[in-house]
Amino acid sequence: MDVLALLSPMTFLLVTFGVLVGIVFGSIPGLTATMAVAVFLPLTFAMDLSEGLALLIGLYVGGISGGMVPAALLKLPGTPSSVATTFDAYPMAQQGFAEKALKIGIVASLIGGVISLLVLYFFAPVLSGVAIEFGPVEKFLIILFALTIIASISEKSLLIGIFSALLGVFLSLVGVFPMNNELRLTPGFLEDQLYDGFSLLPVLIGLFGIAEILRNSELGLKDAAGKKVKLAKSKGSDEAKFKFSVFKGQGVNTVRSSFIGTFLGILPGVGGSAASLMSYTQTKNFSKKPDKLGKGAPEGVIASEASNNGLTGGALVPLLSLGIPGDSTTAVLLGAFVLQGIHVGPLFITDNPDLWSGIIIALLIANVVMFLMMFTSIRYFARVVEIPKYVLYPIILVMCVLGSYAINNGVMFDVWTALIFGVLGFIFMKIGIQITTFLIGFILGPSLESNFLDSMQASSGDMLVFFTKGPISWVIWALIIGSVVFGVRSNRRKKKAEAAETAEAASAGAN
Amino acid sequence: MSDFFTLDVAFSDYHLVFPVAIGTILAALLVIIGIKSLVTRLGSGPQDSRLSFRFFDEGFDRKKLFGTLACLFAYVLVLNLLGFLLSSILFVVAISLVFKPTKDKRVLAGIAVSAVCTPLAIWLVFGQLFDITLP
């Protein structure tokens, strides 16, 4: 592998541009990393896939990292994965250590990103090596596992999670069935437009671009700019300056958080907010001074930021080895592969070695560029938070419409699809259907179906084949059952905690 | 017993297996979810305000939400008639005014600049530089 040949100036430029724009998207609450990738996806038509991925990976890493800026300055996560950053970075900023808090976050992000990159590099080929042996039965079961695990980790109840996923599967079935060329679930007057079902990209743009903007306009577009954002000068006081010695004694915390992020990234559908919250909780459990967390402890910032950047590499593992996206942003990345007609699955790495190393290198550059850019100019990025949304949203909406139009070379129905799913996404947010879970169901639906029917054909309709196929399928069944049991138990625990909280609040109110 | 686990469907009906199966499961789930929420609702008494469902937020911004929706639908409708540049310029002006209703001349000037520059820049970069199909 000739590394230098892969590192063309163009790739470098695209990654840098991606990181820059990503940080801007991440820094503004109401714009997310997923939205950044979805909006810029159309630009990649004209590029070859490795260049396009370089841009999108830059956006991904930048977007996840940028979220820490408003988290520290305004106590608003810029992107959902920075939820836990607010717990400690904001108190630190209140004490006048904003710059220090952000720089701690930046270094932690870099470490998390690089660790997850290493995991991706070594683990994805192993996983795809195992997955190559999979027949339709195993593939069906692994997708089922992906869907149950998303549902079980979802924030609401397990039932609603499963419902969201299956609703996605259901809508993905619209259109023609490729095995026997019969239409189903298609209203007569839309037969032409829906022959191939809903295109993935307009659906993504609708769910993550338009729906989000609708939700924000319902909230009245309250701008963060109203609050004065200022990075207080660290008045020469020694404590307020960032030093790498902050990380002394935090090695275990950093590495543990990075691995938690990476691991949660590998589980399909588990987003950054879960990763940052979980590693924050773990840090609190292991901390020598747990009562300091939440009041401006650097270790809390480290935990959250290391884990949410750890997510980036982790989420790419199932995408590149199984074709199952690890989170909503990688689901959009999958769209880039679909666009270029490249099949992502167990054979991807062996079939496209150049692309694979290109992705690894782009991810590495993205992390380094993110670090350099944010570390040196965090003051300027802090100002980005002030850009009013009424300036940005019109631009993003134009790009949403344009992008959905251009995806299949000018199909007006795709624009309508984006609008319909924008409104649907908005309704989903209201009635509690989880958008990421729905989306993963939508993406995996067709392969769930074809693998099921393939296994039926091979076994002449014997459904017991899913239990009798052999050891691999038993292992996957164990995982499926495990994920459901986990989901039910954590649900119950959450409900108990909530009940305890309300009881506490009630008794506090009575006093 | 083994009949129960055997799927006997003609190849020409294969396309219906999944829609029917998933549809059935969805309906079943909906019923279960409905019953569950009914049970909690009955159990906790009527005064619990958390359970009363509200679609829109309290005091939500009616004008902005529906204004945005209206602008978006109008935009897509006129897109084919007026072409990308013209309709985008109109759209940006309209939606900016929805987002920030104002008579302040400076803000209006800013909106005008953004309305002309944004579609133009997108048209140049996407349409001309990258050769992407525009409406």
Side-chain angles (χ1 to χ4, degrees):
Chain A
M1 177 187 86
D2 193 352
V3 177
L4 284 177
L6 292 164
L7 196 83
S8 72
M10 189 62 185
T11 317
F12 186 77
L13 216 69
L14 283 169
V15 175
T16 312
F17 175 75
V19 171
L20 179 68
V21 177
I23 296 174
V24 172
F25 267 76
S27 300
I28 300 175
L31 309 185
T32 60
T34 317
M35 197 197 259
V37 180
V39 166
F40 277 87
L41 197 54
L43 251 189
T44 64
F45 295 141
M47 308 173 186
D48 65 48
L49 186 56
S50 67
E51 286 174 357
L53 283 174
L55 174 69
L56 298 178
I57 286 173
L59 286 165
Y60 186 17
V61 173
I64 296 275
S65 313
M68 75 171 87
V69 178
L73 300 179
L74 300 170
K75 207 180 179 187
L76 286 172
T79 201
S81 53
S82 311
V83 189
T85 312
T86 56
F87 300 164
D88 279 295
Y90 183 68
M92 278 184 86
Q94 289 306 87
Q95 294 155 24
F97 305 149
E99 191 166 344
K100 183 177 168 190
L102 286 170
K103 285 192 170 167
I104 292 171
I106 297 164
V107 176
S109 292
L110 177 70
I111 299 173
V114 171
I115 288 183
S116 78
L117 173 68
L118 291 174
V119 173
L120 170 68
Y121 185 68
F122 291 109
F123 186 57
V126 176
L127 195 58
S128 54
V130 174
I132 282 177
E133 308 288 324
F134 286 5
V137 171
E138 287 86 0
K139 280 187 194 151
F140 171 79
L141 291 176
I142 203 94
I143 295 171
L144 201 63
F145 168 60
L147 294 179
T148 51
I149 195 141
I150 318 166
S152 71
I153 302 193
S154 66
E155 297 134 54
K156 298 262 169 55
S157 80
L158 182 66
L159 279 177
I160 293 178
I162 294 174
F163 185 82
S164 310
L166 288 182
L167 191 65
V169 174
F170 193 70
L171 283 181
S172 76
L173 301 176
V174 171
V176 77
F177 179 55
M179 272 162 130
N180 61 5
N181 285 324
E182 294 272 358
L183 281 172
R184 64 270 172 87
L185 302 175
T186 315
F189 63 100
L190 284 175
E191 265 177 22
D192 287 344
Q193 287 92 334
L194 278 178
Y195 190 78
D196 291 317
F198 295 108
S199 315
L200 174 61
L201 292 173
V203 171
L204 292 169
I205 289 176
L207 289 179
F208 290 103
I210 297 175
E212 192 75 27
I213 291 182
L214 285 177
R215 172 77 183 125
N216 272 288
S217 49
E218 185 200 4
L219 294 172
L221 235 67
K222 301 259 176 350
D223 264 316
K227 305 181 197 169
K228 200 65 207 145
V229 192
K230 222 176 170 191
L231 272 190
K233 279 247 188 273
S234 39
K235 306 168 197 83
S237 95
D238 224 31
E239 209 192 339
K241 275 209 192 93
F242 171 77
K243 289 201 203 81
F244 282 95
S245 60
V246 179
F247 279 83
K248 210 178 264 174
Q250 294 298 331
V252 180
N253 177 19
T254 317
V255 173
R256 181 186 56 231
S257 304
S258 309
F259 273 107
I260 290 177
T262 311
F263 178 69
L264 286 186
I266 293 173
L267 297 179
V270 184
S273 49
S276 86
L277 285 172
M278 186 184 260
S279 68
Y280 188 84
T281 321
Q282 286 309 318
T283 301
K284 206 164 181 174
N285 287 345
F286 282 104
S287 175
K288 288 180 198 113
K289 295 168 264 176
D291 45 319
K292 278 209 168 171
L293 276 148
K295 297 186 184 117
E299 46 182 328
V301 181
I302 295 173
S304 172
E305 283 304 319
S307 74
N308 69 26
N309 275 65
L311 188 85
T312 53
L316 286 168
V317 171
L319 177 71
L320 298 178
S321 57
L322 305 170
I324 296 173
D327 70 348
S328 52
T329 318
T330 36
V332 187
L333 281 180
L334 180 65
F337 289 94
V338 173
L339 206 67
Q340 306 266 0
I342 289 194
H343 182 74
V344 200
L347 290 171
F348 172 76
I349 294 173
T350 33
D351 282 357
N352 307 284
D354 285 351
L355 208 51
W356 162 242
S357 20
I359 291 172
I360 296 291
I361 290 172
L363 202 53
L364 184 64
I365 302 175
N367 274 295
V368 173
V369 168
M370 177 280 296
F371 173 74
L372 293 175
M373 226 183 246
M374 286 186 77
F375 202 80
T376 52
S377 10
I378 187 66
R379 279 173 180 282
Y380 305 102
F381 283 118
R383 301 299 299 260
V384 169
V385 181
E386 294 175 24
I387 299 178
K389 275 185 270 198
Y390 69 86
V391 175
L392 286 172
Y393 277 178
I395 303 176
I396 293 173
L397 284 173
V398 170
M399 289 184 69
C400 286
V401 167
L402 170 86
S404 16
Y405 181 81
I407 275 152
N408 291 320
N409 255 323
V411 180
M412 210 57 203
F413 184 73
D414 283 342
V415 182
W416 289 115
T417 306
L419 273 189
I420 293 167
F421 276 85
V423 176
L424 267 184
F426 178 73
I427 297 173
F428 286 174
M429 288 180 200
K430 291 295 179 170
I431 58 178
I433 289 180
Q434 287 135 30
I435 292 185
T436 310
T437 317
F438 168 84
L439 175 69
I440 302 224
F442 182 83
I443 288 176
L444 297 178
S447 49
L448 188 71
E449 179 183 34
S450 64
N451 283 311
F452 178 80
L453 291 172
D454 278 346
S455 344
M456 286 300 92
Q457 259 184 327
S459 67
S460 54
D462 181 11
M463 281 202 266
L464 288 171
V465 71
F466 293 112
F467 304 97
T468 55
K469 184 73 197 307
I472 301 183
S473 58
W474 297 334
V475 171
I476 306 174
W477 270 116
L479 289 171
I480 293 175
I481 294 164
S483 70
V484 172
V485 170
F486 174 82
V488 172
R489 283 185 52 181
S490 74
N491 244 315
R492 209 165 279 165
R493 213 175 310 138
K494 222 182 287 169
K495 268 200 195 124
K496 242 182 224 164
E498 254 167 42
E501 228 166 68
T502 38
E504 215 168 84
S507 69
N511 290 334
Chain B
M1 186 66 190
S2 73
D3 281 354
F4 181 72
F5 288 108
T6 308
L7 186 78
D8 190 16
V9 178
F11 182 70
S12 58
D13 284 334
Y14 259 33
H15 64 292
L16 293 175
V17 173
F18 246 59
V20 171
I22 302 282
T24 316
I25 301 176
L26 280 177
L29 280 173
L30 212 54
V31 170
I32 298 174
I33 293 172
I35 292 173
K36 255 187 112 175
S37 82
L38 209 64
V39 168
T40 38
R41 208 171 289 217
L42 289 175
S44 65
Q47 72 273 41
D48 198 335
S49 59
R50 277 183 315 158
L51 291 169
S52 67
F53 180 76
R54 171 186 281 284
F55 186 80
F56 292 112
D57 286 8
E58 216 161 322
F60 77 103
D61 203 319
R62 205 173 291 265
K63 274 186 206 149
K64 282 186 183 140
L65 176 62
F66 292 114
T68 311
L69 270 174
C71 283
L72 268 172
F73 276 92
Y75 178 35
V76 180
L77 281 174
V78 299
L79 207 53
N80 267 344
L81 294 174
L82 300 179
F84 173 71
L85 270 180
L86 195 56
S87 45
S88 300
I89 291 173
L90 289 175
F91 170 71
V92 175
V93 171
I95 198 136
S96 302
L97 288 176
V98 169
F99 283 154
K100 193 164 176 72
T102 177
K103 287 194 176 119
D104 185 347
K105 286 221 172 85
R106 274 182 54 211
V107 179
L108 284 175
I111 290 176
V113 171
S114 156
V116 174
C117 291
T118 310
L120 210 63
I122 291 179
W123 181 73
L124 278 174
V125 173
F126 281 69
Q128 308 304 309
L129 187 65
F130 286 100
D131 218 5
I132 288 164
T133 323
L134 297 183

